[in-house]
Amino acid sequence: MNDLTPIQKEIATALEQLKEKSLITEAILAKKVRENAKIQGKNKAGICLKDLEVCIEYLAENSQLQFALHLNSANDILIKKEDEWKLLESNGQSGLQKKRRQSSEKSISVLTNGDLRRKSTGGKAAKKRTDRKKMDYRDFEEE
């Protein structure tokens, strides 16, 4: 897994953990990635198609796990366990679906390496100031 980015490593790990399922939806995979990486928030975040394609290819070559990618009519990624690994094609009907998905990723939230960095640095949650200190102008002594 040396040639994978941190988020791709998390996706590959989640796919290996879910290998018993014959169909994995994007939502289930994203939930597993968030759970494994202990990412708080981004509950509606999806998986970037490019990252997923790299992971599918990597697993096929290194773990003999064969998955095929599909898109449903709602533009959600479906990962099916099959005899041969297959990515979305760049031409024909699948090519149009792939372009549609990639353009929609610009407006939807996807899990990124930045989410893992924020988690690993232990970023502190912003504190809300509940106890505001107000200065009383009457307390000032003029010199």
Side-chain angles (χ1 to χ4, degrees):
M1 286 193 182
N2 294 340
D3 52 343
L4 299 178
T5 65
I7 192 69
Q8 290 170 349
K9 288 178 185 176
E10 291 294 339
I11 293 168
T13 302
L15 282 170
E16 287 175 336
Q17 292 171 344
L18 296 168
K19 67 183 174 189
E20 301 302 319
K21 293 181 177 266
S22 59
L23 175 69
I24 304 167
T25 64
E26 178 182 5
I28 290 171
L29 180 61
K31 182 178 179 183
K32 190 69 170 172
V33 169
R34 282 192 305 274
E35 182 182 299
N36 289 345
K38 296 175 178 59
I39 296 172
Q40 300 296 320
K42 290 195 100 169
N43 292 336
K44 301 286 184 187
I47 302 291
C48 180
L49 183 59
K50 284 186 176 187
D51 288 335
L52 187 55
E53 286 179 331
V54 170
C55 294
I56 296 292
E57 189 173 356
Y58 176 84
L59 289 173
E61 292 172 358
N62 297 307
S63 301
Q64 274 54 52
L65 285 175
Q66 310 292 330
F67 292 107
L69 293 178
H70 301 277
L71 282 176
N72 67 10
S73 60
N75 217 19
D76 295 324
I77 301 171
L78 301 175
I79 306 143
K80 294 183 182 179
K81 198 170 184 185
E82 294 189 5
D83 296 335
E84 219 174 275
W85 67 278
K86 185 178 91 175
L87 304 177
L88 291 174
E89 297 172 11
S90 296
N91 54 10
Q93 185 65 26
S94 292
L96 294 174
Q97 290 176 330
K98 184 175 182 174
K99 286 180 185 176
R100 185 184 74 217
R101 169 63 193 205
Q102 287 174 329
S103 66
S104 73
E105 286 179 359
K106 295 173 186 168
S107 62
I108 64 174
S109 178
V110 293
L111 295 171
T112 63
N113 290 323
D115 298 321
L116 296 175
R117 268 187 251 115
R118 272 184 235 119
K119 182 248 351 161
S120 65
T121 58
K124 296 178 182 174
K127 287 185 183 178
K128 289 188 176 181
R129 278 184 68 179
T130 55
D131 183 26
R132 291 192 172 216
K133 295 180 181 178
K134 294 184 179 179
M135 295 177 63
D136 187 1
Y137 65 92
R138 293 182 201 117
D139 289 343
F140 282 118
E141 293 179 20
E142 292 187 23
E143 293 179 24

